Amino acid sequence: MYYPEPISRLMESYMKLPGIGEKTASRLAFYTVNMREEDVTDFAKNLVSVKRDLKYCSICGNITESDPCSICSDKNRDQSVILVVEQAKDVIALEKMQEYSGLYHVLHGVLSPVEGTGPEDINMASLLKRLQNDEVKEVIIATNANVEGEATATYLSRLIKPAEIKVSRLAHGLSVGSDIEYADEVTLLKAVEGRTEM
Amino acid sequence: MYYPEPISRLMESYMKLPGIGEKTASRLAFYTVNMREEDVTDFAKNLVSVKRDLKYCSICGNITESDPCSICSDKNRDQSVILVVEQAKDVIALEKMQEYSGLYHVLHGVLSPVEGTGPEDINMASLLKRLQNDEVKEVIIATNANVEGEATATYLSRLIKPAEIKVSRLAHGLSVGSDIEYADEVTLLKAVEGRTEM
């Protein structure tokens, strides 16, 4: 062992985070030794706190401190639209937009035959249950634009449509500010297919 | 605030680490929520432990659990050579080589007039004190190969040489396995200057 024991143990913890290998973990661990004592104890407390103080909203599956979450319990939001996302962090991204005022539903995953993830492995049953409420008029599916995301969107839409609820999908096309030159073919095709009249 | 409070507090802690901005901090914080409870508590404990259980060796300045450190207290090591490095992690890199059996001295920094770091701001006085011991015959300076590292090496060598102790500097040249084509001019110049007879 070249590293002092406390360093190598902290390195192992850092390496459990995504995208952090041995070199980065070593750099972070040595950096931690020189951090202010207060910052390090806060860091430790904050780690424990996210596990202890956060839970999943029993209605939408979002990460929250109180159940139901602040969005589900906000009666000023449009109760007739549910936007379906893969992860809790997608809710944050959409909330930052400050334009959407409906509700959310977090699937915590996507259907993936390759990884053996079926409809019962993700938070899908509770979505169908929410739709039995007559108030819901539209479901917007905002799964990611990849194979699993598309498959999940198609699967959901086939399940929901018979209930005469409108099902929509986020538009695919060019990112705002992007160059056509650098866009991939599939994105370009989607942008042409989904063109809008001026 | 878009993030639940515990998430944003953990993000702030992650952002205190080098090279971690808001996007990465958010990704890591959400990842932490889904980590095993046990791994997160271990992580928190390990953070506190590096601050609590590690200290600087009173002889060489290396990071250690016991003072003096295992290297300084190992009487089988060559007591006549001291290798001077900038950071404790440089000691680890050199120990991995498994060829050097002398002692170390960690400066915890380099001289930098730009940042106002003078000889009294780094662990230099204790090095000079160690050299008063007649056993020391050579000091190998292994500061980094940049402006501050070179300046510190030159400064140290001027201080030490009058005491009739041999002062050497790590060789500069091409990395093993590297292509000449991609080497920078200064490295190439150093490699030519330091050429060895075959």
Side-chain angles (χ1 to χ4, degrees), chain B residues 90-118:
Chain B
D90 298 335
V91 174
I92 310 273
L94 288 155
E95 279 297 281
K96 278 189 178 162
M97 177 175 73
Q98 289 183 311
E99 281 292 334
Y100 177 73
S101 66
L103 304 174
Y104 291 95
H105 194 86
V106 183
L107 294 177
H108 295 295
V110 269
L111 300 179
S112 169
V114 178
E115 293 182 18
T117 316

Side-chain angles (χ1 to χ4, degrees), chain A residues 2-7 9-10 13-14 16-18 22 27-28 30-35 37 39-40 42-44 46-51 53-54 56 63 65 88-89 92 95-96 98, chain B residues 2-7 9-10 13-14 16-18 22 27-28 30-35 37 39-40 42-44 46-51 53-54 56 63 65 88-89 92 95-96 98:
Chain A
Y2 306 108
Y3 294 100
E5 186 64 21
I7 296 263
R9 272 190 277 115
L10 181 58
S13 285
Y14 275 130
K16 292 215 168 95
L17 297 174
E22 196 180 331
R27 195 165 55 92
L28 294 178
F30 278 103
Y31 185 88
T32 311
V33 176
N34 295 319
M35 272 169 76
E37 175 117 36
D39 287 342
V40 177
D42 278 351
F43 192 175
N46 294 340
L47 279 169
V48 173
S49 157
V50 290
K51 286 304 277 187
D53 303 335
L54 290 177
Y56 295 116
I63 291 172
E65 282 181 278
K89 52 190 162 187
I92 310 273
E95 280 296 283
K96 278 188 178 163
Q98 289 183 311
Chain B
Y2 306 108
Y3 295 99
E5 186 64 22
I7 295 262
R9 271 188 279 117
L10 182 57
S13 285
Y14 275 130
K16 293 215 168 94
L17 297 173
E22 196 180 331
R27 196 165 54 92
L28 294 178
F30 277 103
Y31 186 87
T32 311
V33 176
N34 295 319
M35 271 170 79
E37 175 116 35
D39 288 342
V40 177
D42 278 351
F43 192 175
N46 294 339
L47 279 168
V48 174
S49 158
V50 290
K51 283 307 274 187
D53 302 334
L54 290 178
Y56 295 117
I63 290 173
E65 283 180 276
K89 53 190 164 187
I92 310 273
E95 279 297 281
K96 278 189 178 162
Q98 289 183 311

Side-chain angles (χ1 to χ4, degrees), chain B residues 38-183:
Chain B
E38 201 185 310
D39 288 342
V40 177
T41 20
D42 278 351
F43 192 175
K45 276 186 213 151
N46 294 339
L47 279 168
V48 174
S49 158
V50 290
K51 283 307 274 187
R52 190 192 52 203
D53 302 334
L54 290 178
K55 40 188 160 285
Y56 295 117
C57 172
S58 57
I59 301 176
C60 71
N62 195 6
I63 290 173
T64 174
E65 283 180 276
S66 54
D67 184 20
C69 72
S70 58
I71 296 175
C72 286
S73 48
D74 181 352
K75 292 300 164 209
N76 291 321
R77 296 191 73 116
D78 185 350
Q79 310 286 319
S80 70
V81 195
I82 295 180
L83 196 151
V84 180
V85 294
E86 291 182 21
Q87 308 290 348
K89 53 190 164 187
D90 298 335
V91 174
I92 310 273
L94 288 155
E95 279 297 281
K96 278 189 178 162
M97 177 175 73
Q98 289 183 311
E99 281 292 334
Y100 177 73
S101 66
L103 304 174
Y104 291 95
H105 194 86
V106 183
L107 294 177
H108 295 295
V110 269
L111 300 179
S112 169
V114 178
E115 293 182 18
T117 316
E120 66 289 345
D121 299 316
I122 60 178
N123 188 24
M124 200 178 268
S126 70
L127 171 63
L128 301 176
K129 217 173 136 197
R130 286 175 80 185
L131 298 181
Q132 289 166 7
N133 177 338
D134 278 343
E135 265 192 289
V136 183
K137 304 286 175 234
E138 181 176 1
V139 172
I140 306 171
I141 303 181
T143 49
N144 290 330
N146 50 31
V147 179
E148 285 91 355
E150 292 297 338
T152 310
T154 311
Y155 182 89
L156 265 177
S157 117
R158 282 190 196 151
L159 273 184
I160 301 170
K161 267 189 181 162
E164 292 189 353
I165 292 169
K166 185 178 162 191
V167 182
S168 56
R169 177 102 177 91
L170 290 196
H172 293 316
L174 297 166
S175 302
V176 176
S178 69
D179 281 8
I180 289 182
E181 186 183 356
Y182 300 120

